[in-house]
Amino acid sequence: TTVPVLFQGVGAPLTPRLTRRFGTERGVLGAVLGLGAGVLLRVVPSVPGLYAGCVVIGGAIAGPNVSMPGLGKRGFPPRAAA
């Protein structure tokens, strides 16, 4: 249970750079695709596949965790607090 949380912490500082380079929407799309790839890696019947999938999933979850609040504020400014 520690591996995904650890890589969320590792991936979170990288998210602003990726967002500036590729844009928020593309960054979130890349994170969702990475999340799908991590889930597919976890299906591989091996222990290294399980851990590799957890690493990818943790890094992929960090992207939307950092960039979605800004995307929500930009898209719905009057309802940002809700």
Side-chain angles (χ1 to χ4, degrees), residues 18-60:
L18 294 172
T19 301
R20 279 191 297 270
R21 183 170 182 175
F22 298 111
T24 307
E25 292 85 359
R26 287 185 181 167
V28 171
L29 175 64
V32 170
L33 293 175
L35 189 60
V39 170
L40 289 176
L41 273 173
R42 289 188 60 170
V43 174
V44 174
S46 68
V47 174
L50 176 69
Y51 283 111
C54 286
V55 167
V56 172
I57 287 172

